[in-house]
Amino acid sequence: MITSKQELKKYLFEDAKANRIQPGLAYLIKLLYGNINACVYRYLKSLRKLEYYTNIKSPLRYWYRYYNRRMGLKYNLAMPINAVGYGLYIPHIEGGVILNVKKVGCYCKINSGVVCGSKNTGEEIPTIGDYVNLTVGAKVIGNITIGNYSIVAPNSVVIKDVSDYDIVSGVPAKVIKTNAPKR
């Protein structure tokens, strides 16, 4: 939750670093030419500022809510406020990314076509840990937890909890490998 200017700067710095963006003239040129990373960073910038101004209850939150929705429609991205950790990397946005989650950890990589949410409106929504890689077309459905350092293979449908360091694949997703570090 971003409640100070220092936290806002930290989130923006980590998001820029994850998306390989150097703020300044180079960023503006990339944005002008439609670079995907610059577009994602623009959306994340609007999301972070919306979070900050909402948390401090500033009147600017209304402008940033409007602006964030516009950016979301333009780039086909949807994420809740105060739920996404810093360092989020989205390499492709052509297929859209919809995240209806309790929390997404820090330094996650989310590809295009990823949908996270619930089966019905009254159900609980997923929680995603740190350093998780959701590959192209992955679906995460229901009240589940995806552990830290996990990988969800392309076009997999996750309906059960995933432990730390697991690689899951299939419909429904099953553990195909555990990538735990050697001690």
Side-chain angles (χ1 to χ4, degrees):
M1 205 155 102
I2 304 171
T3 56
S4 69
K5 282 281 190 186
Q6 291 81 16
E7 288 178 343
L8 177 62
K9 286 180 183 177
K10 176 186 176 185
Y11 273 69
L12 290 175
F13 176 77
E14 293 297 332
D15 288 339
K17 191 168 86 173
N19 287 288
R20 298 170 182 92
I21 294 295
Q22 295 175 342
L25 185 60
Y27 161 64
L28 293 176
I29 291 170
K30 285 182 177 183
L31 194 58
L32 182 65
Y33 283 102
N35 180 282
I36 298 293
N37 294 351
C39 295
V40 169
Y41 180 65
R42 183 179 187 193
Y43 175 80
L44 290 174
K45 221 163 77 167
S46 73
L47 179 68
R48 301 309 182 190
K49 289 183 178 181
L50 172 61
E51 290 173 355
Y52 172 68
Y53 289 117
T54 300
N55 293 337
I56 65 167
K57 295 182 176 35
S58 168
L60 284 172
R61 70 181 180 254
Y62 301 113
W63 162 250
Y64 279 104
R65 183 178 304 140
Y66 166 77
Y67 184 66
N68 181 259
R69 286 184 184 161
R70 294 256 326 182
M71 290 298 104
L73 290 172
K74 183 174 183 174
Y75 299 127
N76 206 9
L77 298 168
M79 296 174 204
I81 65 169
N82 294 322
V84 180
Y86 53 84
L88 180 65
Y89 176 50
I90 303 175
H92 306 289
I93 57 174
E94 289 82 10
V97 174
I98 299 172
L99 298 178
N100 182 18
V101 294
K102 288 181 201 168
K103 179 186 171 287
V104 174
C106 300
Y107 302 107
C108 288
K109 179 180 177 184
I110 299 175
N111 248 302
S112 66
V114 170
V115 177
C116 299
S118 64
K119 291 184 229 173
N120 301 317
T121 55
E123 289 187 22
E124 291 291 323
I125 51 181
T127 303
I128 299 172
D130 297 335
Y131 299 95
V132 172
N133 185 356
L134 298 176
T135 59
V136 177
K139 310 294 184 259
V140 181
I141 302 170
N143 184 20
I144 62 171
T145 301
I146 303 229
N148 301 331
Y149 300 95
S150 297
I151 299 172
V152 178
N155 296 320
S156 298
V157 178
V158 182
I159 56 175
K160 294 181 182 173
D161 288 347
V162 177
S163 302
D164 293 351
Y165 301 101
D166 281 352
I167 300 173
V168 295
S169 179
V171 180
K174 295 180 182 125
V175 177
I176 57 171
K177 187 177 179 183
T178 298
N179 231 2
K182 307 249 190 270
R183 292 186 184 189

